[in-house]
Amino acid sequence: MKKVVVFTGAGISAESGLKTFRGQDGLWEGTNIKDVATPAAWKRDRKRVLDFYNQRRKQCIAANPNAAHLAIKKLEEYFDTYVITQNIDDLHERAGSENIIHLHGEICKAQSSLNPKFVYTMQVAEINLGDTCELGSQLRPHVVWFGEEVPNLKKAEELTNQADVFIVVGTSLQVYPAANLLNQTKAGCEVYLIDPNAEEMNVGWQIKRYSMSATVGVPKLVDELTK
Ligand code: APR
């Protein structure tokens, strides 16, 4: 059975109402990364960091998977399918996808600020000052901040290298090491790029571009791959 790997970014959740980072009105337009998404920010102002993720978590909870997430789930009926996502929302999970690797963490989980191995599925929408882990340390979002290790990278690279089909959806490919996955596909792998800006993106000539939104492009490609 062919192995299909789908590599997603914020763009796949845009039509579920969640902001992207670098597009028009993106998250990083209104908020400085250095204030909320680095270990230094956490050291400087924990409450500000917690509030930023509490607000995003509530938006994720209120959002729903869209036709793109659901079409990726459908791939599982035909192929050995894996999702590698940069997104911290749980929309792939809620669409029913089974094999998901989160490269940048999961907003609906909390982790110990003392030992990153202590991770907890959250039952509530907020993490607040004074919420502690079993070691007694302040809980933080289970999110990979800029400058932190990407724990699942090796697994993602191995998977990418085994893919017969590699589908990139909704990522500006500007954040490394995640973006480097595109260079890790094996010879002969069919690579597709689905993004409204696909034509302007600086990717290899052999990549088949679908210059359209995720909810149009992903179902279209899935239909083509499964007919
Ligand atoms: N359908 C498909 N793609 C879309 C849509 C849509 N409806 N709307 C926007 N896009 C595309 C944009 O053209 C852009 O290429 O989604 C991409 C979003 O890029 P970014 O905002 O940079 O998001 P992403 O690539 O996921 O960012 C990577 O950066 O800030 C960090 O940790 C954060 O995981 C994130 C990483």
Side-chain angles (χ1 to χ4, degrees):
M1 189 184 254
K2 266 188 179 178
K3 182 167 277 185
V4 175
V5 175
V6 190
F7 176 45
T8 65
I12 198 169
S13 299
E15 289 160 280
S16 293
L18 297 180
K19 278 190 174 185
T20 59
F21 294 97
R22 294 171 185 84
Q24 201 182 347
D25 187 31
L27 257 174
W28 299 144
E29 298 293 303
T31 309
N32 187 326
I33 289 171
K34 289 190 175 56
D35 292 336
V36 292
T38 63
W42 178 248
K43 222 173 143 115
R44 187 170 54 247
D45 187 347
R46 288 180 163 186
K47 183 170 181 335
R48 177 155 189 192
V49 173
L50 290 174
D51 290 349
F52 174 71
Y53 285 95
N54 286 342
Q55 197 193 357
R56 287 184 62 197
R57 189 175 301 105
K58 288 173 192 162
Q59 290 159 357
C60 291
I61 292 167
N64 290 302
N66 61 50
H69 297 102
L70 296 169
I72 291 168
K73 166 61 182 170
K74 187 178 160 209
L75 281 171
E76 291 177 0
E77 297 163 28
Y78 300 86
F79 305 109
D80 184 18
T81 305
Y82 298 82
V83 176
I84 299 171
T85 187
Q86 298 170 90
N87 298 340
I88 57 177
D89 63 53
D90 62 349
L91 296 181
H92 284 300
E93 284 82 354
R94 286 163 53 198
S97 285
E98 273 149 36
N99 308 309
I100 303 168
I101 294 178
H102 282 270
L103 288 180
H104 296 160
E106 299 174 70
I107 199 166
C108 291
K109 291 182 179 173
Q111 84 181 44
S112 160
S113 50
L114 216 55
N115 179 341
K117 289 193 174 37
F118 285 69
V119 176
Y120 310 89
T121 300
M122 290 176 61
Q123 308 304 329
V124 291
E126 294 194 350
I127 303 174
N128 293 302
L129 287 178
D131 294 346
T132 56
C133 75
E134 58 207 277
L135 303 172
S137 85
Q138 173 66 48
L139 284 175
R140 55 165 271 187
H142 179 51
V143 169
V144 177
W145 285 327
F146 286 89
E148 290 189 313
E149 277 281 295
V150 178
N152 293 328
L153 181 65
K154 192 155 172 31
K155 208 162 59 171
E157 288 174 335
E158 285 162 5
L159 209 42
T160 301
N161 187 255
Q162 296 159 11
D164 301 299
V165 179
F166 191 71
I167 304 171
V168 182
V169 188
T171 174
S172 61
L173 295 167
Q174 289 183 33
V175 173
Y176 287 80
N180 195 44
L181 286 176
L182 193 51
N183 305 318
Q184 316 254 330
T185 55
K186 68 184 179 188
C189 174
E190 291 169 46
V191 184
Y192 300 89
L193 173 66
I194 300 171
D195 191 303
N197 289 337
E199 286 315 322
E200 289 89 65
M201 292 174 76
N202 178 19
V203 291
W205 58 270
Q206 75 287 13
I207 292 176
K208 299 174 193 74
R209 299 165 198 242
Y210 286 59
S211 291
M212 54 193 80
S213 73
T215 58
V216 173
V218 180
K220 175 176 169 39
L221 175 57
V222 169
D223 283 349
E224 290 165 7
L225 290 173
T226 57
K227 69 171 183 256

